[in-house]
Amino acid sequence: MKIGLLAFIADYTADPATVARKCEALGFESIFIPEHPIIPVNFRTKVPGGRELPRIYSHMPDPFVSLAIAAGATSRIRLGTGISLVPERNPILLAKEVATLDVFSNGRFIFEIGAGWLAEETEIMGADFAKRWKITREYVRAMKELWTKPEPSFEGEFIKFPPVHHNPKPRQKPHPPIHIGAGGSGLGPNQRALENVVAIGDGWSPIGIAPADVAPQLAKLKDMCAQAGRDFRTMEISVYMLANPPGDPRELIKRYADAGVHRLILSVPSLAPDRAERELEAMARAYIG
């Protein structure tokens, strides 16, 4: 089982280089940095899980800048967005950021993507919330053209461009793996998430889904891949664990592995500058050994 870390980094936490360097030294396989470019002061959208939105959501730095800093401080650990809000970005510039980070990290980037849950944020950033997944699918298809063609062009409903030069191309071929960060336990319809995995993804990363619930979802994904001519065996399955569940971590890892999960992505309590290293060490002892 690969063990990754979802690093909620802010201007008041430990910095990306310090966190990534420590994670690599402790044996974490990957580090993922989330994204919210803005949080409206007032919004009506219900926060997933019915909780109050944590303060850190309004203090998130740009994930690509943060991951570039992390890349410069490390040499082996995989680096990912966790997740990138695709419809809130310009796809031509986003494709450039992805390719640049992949080149200068020597092919270590994982492109975890989503379409967002906060309607007011999506609208402020210029996208139609009701069409956010339709936009995301089209943007990803356009980015694949930019990453793989010498003179890419695209004609879609939401993005159009004539033949252009767009370099560098990603180090990983044909492009960095694209994982759909959607669905899970009470955080969105799994059917839509699985459809998007089959349509544009190389993996699925649901949030907080229990081991017992993973296997039937993966059986469904396997059938959907077969119907679409996709090879299910190439799909990488990760699960975001936003809270540490009770019980023996080793038993939990085994249950997820038996269900078909390849990676657990854990969340650290605070990453406060005076506690970050101890928090990471404790998590490594529990989940890595």
Side-chain angles (χ1 to χ4, degrees):
M1 177 70 71
K2 302 172 183 177
I3 303 297
L5 181 82
L6 178 61
F8 281 89
I9 290 174
D11 48 350
Y12 54 81
T13 68
D15 65 87
T18 298
V19 174
R21 192 182 297 115
K22 184 67 174 179
C23 284
E24 184 172 84
L26 290 170
F28 285 93
E29 179 265 344
S30 49
I31 181 170
F32 296 84
I33 295 182
E35 170 174 48
H36 278 284
I38 53 97
I39 295 294
V41 172
N42 301 300
F43 60 87
R44 295 183 301 277
T45 303
K46 182 179 178 181
V47 177
R51 58 200 174 98
E52 183 178 346
L53 191 66
R55 171 182 176 235
I56 201 164
Y57 277 66
S58 60
H59 285 261
M60 291 181 180
D62 182 273
F64 289 93
V65 175
S66 299
L67 289 167
I69 294 169
T74 57
S75 61
R76 301 181 310 278
I77 194 167
R78 298 297 300 271
L79 308 160
T81 45
I83 57 177
S84 176
L85 299 174
V86 171
E88 299 185 13
R89 287 177 168 268
N90 177 293
I92 299 174
L93 293 176
L94 180 55
K96 174 78 76 170
E97 289 176 308
V98 168
T100 302
L101 181 56
D102 196 56
V103 166
F104 290 119
S105 69
N106 197 26
R108 291 188 280 149
F109 183 60
I110 301 171
F111 193 26
E112 296 255 357
I113 68 169
W117 58 269
L118 183 50
E120 291 84 354
E121 175 190 13
T122 303
E123 299 287 347
I124 291 171
M125 296 302 294
D128 184 337
F129 185 75
K131 296 180 179 179
R132 66 195 186 282
W133 274 109
K134 186 178 182 182
I135 295 169
T136 297
R137 289 192 295 270
E138 183 174 298
Y139 279 8
V140 168
R141 293 186 177 109
M143 287 189 284
K144 288 181 178 181
E145 293 294 302
L146 292 164
W147 291 327
T148 61
K149 301 293 177 61
E151 295 181 359
S153 62
F154 193 83
E155 186 76 17
E157 179 181 352
F158 306 105
I159 180 67
K160 303 175 183 179
F161 51 86
V164 296
H165 295 293
H166 188 277
N167 296 292
K169 303 301 184 188
R171 180 66 56 89
Q172 298 177 84
K173 302 302 179 187
H175 50 72
I178 299 169
H179 295 179
I180 305 300
S185 297
L187 295 172
N190 288 329
Q191 180 66 28
R192 183 180 64 187
L194 297 180
E195 289 171 355
N196 286 323
V197 172
V198 174
I200 59 172
D202 305 300
W204 184 36
S205 301
I207 301 172
I209 189 169
D213 297 328
V214 172
Q217 294 298 321
L218 294 187
K220 184 184 297 186
L221 178 59
K222 185 176 182 180
D223 289 342
M224 294 169 67
C225 284
Q227 293 171 16
R230 299 287 312 272
D231 186 353
F232 172 76
R233 295 171 298 178
T234 66
M235 295 289 179
E236 187 167 52
I237 309 302
S238 305
V239 172
Y240 282 98
M241 305 293 294
L242 298 185
N244 294 328
D248 182 3
R250 299 298 169 157
E251 177 60 26
L252 183 69
I253 289 172
K254 183 180 185 303
R255 290 169 60 202
Y256 273 113
D258 290 345
V261 173
H262 306 112
R263 177 188 291 109
L264 290 183
I265 304 173
L266 311 172
S267 182
V268 195
S270 75
L271 289 180
D274 60 339
R275 298 196 299 274
E277 293 205 357
R278 293 194 301 275
E279 290 173 346
L280 293 170
E281 288 166 357
M283 190 160 288
R285 283 194 299 272
Y287 286 89
I288 299 174

